[in-house]
Structure formats: C-alpha cells, structure tokens
Amino acid sequence: MYRTTIKNPILRGFNPDPNILRVDNTYYIAVSSFEWLPGVRIYQSNDLVNWEHETDIITNQVDLRGNPQNGSIWAPQISYSEGLFYLIYTDVKSTKRPFKDCHNYLITAPSINGPWSSPVYLNSSGFDPSLFHDKDGRKWLLNEIWDYRMITGNKSAGIVMQEYDAKNQTLIGPVYKLFDGTELAKTEAPHLYYYGDYYYLITAEGGTGKGHSVTVCRSKVITGPYELDPEYPMLTASDKPESSLQCSGHGSIVQTSLGNWYMVYLCTRPLQNKAAILGRETAIEEVYWTEDGWLRLSSGTNEPSLLTEIVTREQVIFQNNTDFEDDFTGPLKKEWNTLRILADDSWCDLTSRSNYLRMFAGESIQSLFEHHILAIRQKDFHFQAETSVEFHPTTFNQMAGLMLYLNDSNYLYAYVTFDEERGRVLRFMRCENGQFQLDPAIITITAGEVQLKVSGNGARGNFYFRSDEEHSWREVTSSQDLLFLAGGFTGNFIGIAVHDMDKKASTYADFAYFRYEGLDSN
C-alpha cells in the first residue's frame, strides 16, 4: 500500500456542499451549483487523489429563471441502491426572511451519466435533503426543517425524517424529529450512515461562515432518540483563526475498498483573512472510528488539514492542472456554465461562422432571466484569461466582452459598445455590492477583432486589450480591487457575454477562442 500526500482543497474554486459516494471502485462527489447551469457538478476518481469533472446532472429538469441570487440548486446528495443512482436536490425559489420557498426533488438513473428520470416532488419543509437506504430495504428522506416562527438567529430548527415509498414515489408515514441541534445552531446538511450497531447522523452546524462545523450523533434505532458526540464538533476551524482552511463543515464520509474512511467537506481560503474569492471549495480528510464508536479525524485534532494522506493500492502522483481552453471548433466544452438558462443553439451558435462561437445577445448584466453569459469557475488566486471578439454594436445598449462575475450585484466588465460621437469603443464598468460605476475612459477601437485579457494576482486584477494589428497589450483601466468578488454561496466566475437592452434579436458577437491559465502552484 502507498500513502500519497495531497494538498487541500481537492476541488478548487466554487465547489461547495460536497457529498461523496463509492460505487464499486469508483468515487463520486456531487457539489452545489446554485443559479449556474448545468447543475449538480459530478467529479469522479478511482483513487481519491485526482478528480475529474465527469458530468453535470441538472439540465432541463428545472426552471431557474427569476430565482434569487444565491438561490436555486442547493446541497445535492447522490446515493446508489440495487443498480440505480439517486439524486436528491433542493430548488430554492425565495430566500427573503422570515420565509424560504425550497422545494425538494428526487431523480434516478442507471448510470451517473443518465438518462435521468423526471423529477419527483418530495416536500418543501426545509432544505438539504438526503436519502438513506436502510438494510431492511426501506428508504428514508432527511432534511433540515425551516421554522419562520423562530424570532432570533437562524431559523433552521433541526433535522427531520420521513419514509419514502419508492414504488409509489411518495413520502409516507409520520415525520420524525431526529435532532434539535446544539448551541452551535443552524443545524442542516444531514447524512445518515449505518456502522457497527448504530445509525450515525452527520450534520453541519454553525452556518456556512466562520462558525461552520461538523457535528455527529447516533442511535441504535433509526427513528431515535439520538445521542450527541460528547466531543462535538468533530471538525471545525471556528476557533482556529490561523488555520489555512476556514469555514469548514458540511461533511460526508466514504469507506474505501481498502477499509479506510475519509470525509469530504467544504472549506474556504480567504484572501487577507476576509475574502474567499474562489468561493467554497472541497477538501478531504482521513477519519477513523474510535473503540467507543465515535468518528474522529486521523490527525488527532478537529482542525481541517491543508496537507493530508490518501491510502492507495498503487503509487499515485497528485496533479492539479486547472488550465482550460475552447477554440470553438466543436461542441461547447462541458466546463462552461450559464446563468439560470442552458446554453443552446438559440443563442450559442457554432455553425454560422466556422471556428467561432456566435453568441446572440440577452438581457442586461443584472437580468435574472436571460443573461447570456458563458463562464468558468476561477480556480486559482493567480490566473490569466483571454478571448478575441468581433462585435459591431449600433447603440450604447449593445455590449460584448470579458467579465469577472460573482452575481448580479458584483461584477467587472470590459466590453465593446457604441458611442454616439466615437462609434465603436471599449469601455469598463464595475458593480460592487449593488453600487454601479462606469469608468469615464472611452477607448476608440478600429474595425475587426479585439482581444481582451484579464489577469488576477490575488486581491488585485487588471484588464487589457489589443487589436488585430497590435502586439502589445494596453490597459483598459487602472488595477482593480477584486476582494468584493467574494461572498454569498458561490464563487467568482470568468466569462464572455453579450447584452442588448434594446432587445434586437439580430444582435450577436463572434468569439474566436477563450483561454484560462492557472498560475498557482500545487
């Protein structure tokens, strides 16, 4: 056997709420996608060391148009039983306190790559649903329960469970309250496991910020009562401000074919101890069962580890290549994501101009319905991304270019547009926490393609441009603070986009390529 040292996180950039599953000798991790489609990204590995993006499950099963910022697809859970994959997920339609409209669904498939069934509606009592397949063949749905009556603090009121009738595709019988949570509060993300003589309930507590933690309880009867781990939380960075991995929680576990146990969990790596621009990422840690039947980190502490070891049958080299390129000579590569709508031929045309992506314009940058943006996750603190665009706007409401985008309240955009006096120009806009700023600089550009580039250097970023006949890059604007592109439940994206607030159906831009280069070392 070999022990391979890896450096957390194993899934870099926006990859939160990980749920891990082993089927035979293959491991899968599902992560939340929120308002980005296709949703529920699935990573696959044969050794727990190196992971590849295998597929995204949620496509046309959902309608996310109009869903709020930080809403939509939350905390998916995948499981496998008798030749069938099960995916449980929440579609969050409203997050305005004190209420929360969160609808839970189930879909199934014979393969992780589908075809996936039509969604089965389960309930709307709370988020973070999870399906447990008991040894007697019964199936149980768990979820956090939301209670708007709670006056102070978070309104997560604990974990409930109800039996699921797979034949009739409905919940049956009484609802059992399994766990009220601890004083850490905000109890959610339930995952149930059977080991030894006990059912183990693993939950997240303390919220998804600095207080995030993993709490475990157990019972010999599935419906409870559950006893609390006397040394909870079993994982947290809440009292460890110097830890490299912060906001650690939302764990799930897996046993390898070699008998070792591991937990995956979400974490952040804040820049300057305050801004997690890469979003919430996925880390892994070896765990073990104590003689008295409790789950512990193999490190001997409850602190998340930047470096950890994975036991493998053969020697494995840990790799971390985050580079990405699409030259648009074939179908769009699966790394791309879109906002609330899927990329289809109606606005992503790869046939009208050979070796180009012709992107037709959507609504404004802040639209919750038809924002035509193709984007990838920022996975490195230091990176470069560039594209080349040909665009012929005729009004100031038409724009196309290169974006850094967290959400509809926080973005940076270098774009080609039209000015009544100068014609085709390049401009720059910034929106920080909903406060919009239009850079006064107006750069006249010649006909033909314009190359745009953005470089990220930790907390700062720079946008550049050059025309076809130029060799040197020129700055679009001054160096930009990037720390505001952090927060909420997602992470920063880098993308290309086309907008037309005049809503002319014929407005389009042609992109020759998109290239992202990660500059962080392992």
Side-chain angles (χ1 to χ4, degrees), residues 399-413:
M399 51 191 74
L402 183 64
M403 300 187 74
L404 296 184
Y405 185 96
L406 175 66
N407 52 44
D408 52 280
S409 299
N410 298 277
Y411 53 83
L412 298 171
Y413 191 17

Side-chain angles (χ1 to χ4, degrees), residues 356-509:
Y356 281 80
L357 167 66
R358 176 160 293 177
M359 188 185 298
F360 285 86
E363 296 175 340
S364 78
I365 299 160
Q366 296 177 181
S367 171
L368 304 183
F369 290 84
E370 296 287 337
H371 186 182
H372 288 184
I373 178 175
L374 283 177
I376 66 168
R377 291 155 171 79
Q378 180 185 339
K379 297 180 180 179
D380 305 89
F381 292 118
H382 303 86
F383 71 91
Q384 288 188 156
E386 69 175 81
T387 189
S388 183
V389 59
E390 185 171 349
F391 184 49
H392 301 282
T394 57
T395 79
F396 65 90
N397 272 332
Q398 297 170 346
M399 51 191 74
L402 183 64
M403 300 187 74
L404 296 184
Y405 185 96
L406 175 66
N407 52 44
D408 52 280
S409 299
N410 298 277
Y411 53 83
L412 298 171
Y413 191 17
Y415 62 101
V416 178
T417 187
F418 179 83
D419 180 77
E420 290 86 347
E421 295 182 358
R422 301 191 185 190
R424 198 172 75 134
V425 297
L426 186 65
R427 300 207 66 173
F428 183 81
M429 64 175 66
R430 175 188 180 99
C431 188
E432 179 176 350
N433 296 322
Q435 299 299 308
F436 177 84
Q437 292 180 327
L438 181 63
D439 194 296
I442 302 176
I443 303 169
T444 302
I445 51 179
T446 59
E449 293 185 19
V450 178
Q451 291 176 283
L452 299 172
K453 180 173 73 171
V454 58
S455 64
N457 184 22
R460 308 294 301 181
N462 294 81
F463 283 81
Y464 304 91
F465 78 100
R466 66 184 180 189
S467 59
D468 277 346
E469 61 271 13
E470 293 179 308
H471 296 287
S472 300
W473 292 96
R474 291 188 283 162
E475 285 192 338
V476 175
T477 185
S478 58
S479 176
Q480 297 289 305
D481 167 41
L482 303 182
L483 293 179
F484 76 100
L485 296 172
F489 294 153
T490 60
N492 188 45
F493 277 71
I494 305 155
I496 52 178
V498 187
H499 309 90
D500 185 353
M501 281 74 76
D502 290 336
K503 289 289 288 180
K504 294 180 179 179
S506 59
T507 302
Y508 65 84

